[in-house]
Amino acid sequence: MTSTVGILLDRAGQELPLAELATLWPLGGWNSVAPVTGGKNEHLRVSAGDGVHYLRRSYRSKPPQELVRQLRLMRLLRERGFPAPEVVSPCSGEDYADLDGRLWIATRGVEGTPFDDASLEHVRALGRMLARYHHTVADLPAPMTEPAVLVELRGRANDEGVDAALRARTAHLAEQLAGLLPRLPRVVVHGGARRGSLVFNGAQVAGVLDFDSAHADVRVLDLAVAVHDVGKVYTRPGEADNKVALDLGRVTELLAAYRQVLRPTEVEVEALPLLLEAKRLKRGLGRLSRARLGESLSDNDYAKIRLEDQRIAWLDEHRSALSTAMHEALAG
């Protein structure tokens, strides 16, 4: 619900500091402000004299140093011609504002339309844009030891109470990924290369959003995120097969478009299906670990565990076809 600048509550029912924000970011005078649903951060859409802007409050555990790195990355990308959002500094001239211990940033709104699921051209555009992003950041330092997903898999495999077969599977997958790790290219990954991260002007990408998950990691992780997001097949909400399978045709289109701009290494092609499996195991095991630690899981938590189990079963059944599609699209 849209509101004039007055009172809005966050998801926890607490009043948002709109008056303070309007002072920090005058933006030519606020006309209206509305909450934007979705995501783990609080977002506000502000219609102002200087146009539409988005204010974002980071989650409580977001370190200031990490936020500063993110904003510097976005500014660098724009300097290099990549369509990242324009960061708007508060009146203080700092990168962000700290209000009651919560960090706020502002960006200028990107005009355009969202990703069209029915458009294969939009699928290809995501592949090309992701490769362009990787090329743009290729010279940035990306120090890391191991991908977070590998670290977590190792930890989950050693959790007490894990089924022996599941423990063995997790440990084997971690060992496979660890064996490939020294040869996997590393960059500052986008971290959230999904459909919702793109804004379009027709078939052209007008803007790339959602850099809050950017971090140093193996480059192929971004491809794993994108493949899962654009490839998953939607049937009907509540149906057992909803969001379980991957559409190999869409996966092939995405990866072939990526390869037109940047050719992955052979080891990345080998690692991609392993990372798809790793992310499914990580999510399911994470919820099971919470239950073993005494946390009361909701019906939705158990539904998510079942969904990840079904996705893993699908990957097992279609492992050969998926690998063939990836090799044909990426290794050519």
Side-chain angles (χ1 to χ4, degrees), residues 104-231:
W104 290 85
I105 67 167
T107 55
R108 187 175 298 278
V110 179
E111 294 185 6
T113 57
F115 189 101
D116 180 0
D117 278 342
S119 171
L120 278 180
E121 187 51 48
H122 281 194
V123 173
R124 299 183 194 107
L126 175 56
R128 289 191 295 269
M129 189 55 62
L130 183 56
R132 180 183 166 192
Y133 168 77
H134 287 161
H135 178 75
T136 303
V137 301
D139 65 328
L140 300 184
M144 57 165 288
T145 51
E146 289 187 333
V149 65
L150 178 55
V151 173
E152 187 159 351
L153 277 185
R154 281 201 174 109
R156 297 304 180 201
N158 293 321
D159 280 349
E160 293 184 7
V162 176
D163 173 78
L166 184 57
R167 183 193 303 276
R169 178 181 185 136
T170 304
H172 178 62
L173 179 58
E175 183 180 353
Q176 287 179 289
L177 285 171
L180 300 179
L181 184 60
R183 294 176 288 145
L184 287 172
R186 299 158 189 213
V187 298
V188 177
V189 297
H190 179 279
R194 301 180 178 90
R195 288 166 290 186
S197 299
L198 298 186
V199 178
F200 285 87
N201 181 3
Q204 302 300 314
V205 176
V208 180
L209 314 176
D210 303 331
F211 287 89
D212 51 310
S213 295
H215 65 284
D217 214 312
V218 292
R219 185 175 66 182
V220 69
L221 177 68
D222 270 341
L223 275 174
V225 171
V227 163
H228 174 71
D229 187 69
V230 303

Side-chain angles (χ1 to χ4, degrees), residues 226-275:
V227 163
H228 174 71
D229 187 69
V230 303
K232 61 187 173 187
V233 177
Y234 291 80
T235 55
R236 287 192 300 271
E239 294 290 329
D241 61 348
N242 188 41
K243 299 190 290 186
V244 172
L246 294 178
D247 183 325
L248 295 185
R250 287 168 66 89
V251 169
T252 300
E253 293 287 351
L254 172 85
L255 297 179
Y258 181 94
R259 182 179 176 272
Q260 288 174 0
V261 179
L262 185 64
R263 182 165 186 157
T265 65
E266 285 290 339
V267 72
E268 285 181 302
V269 180
E270 186 178 351
L272 183 48
L274 299 178
L275 280 170

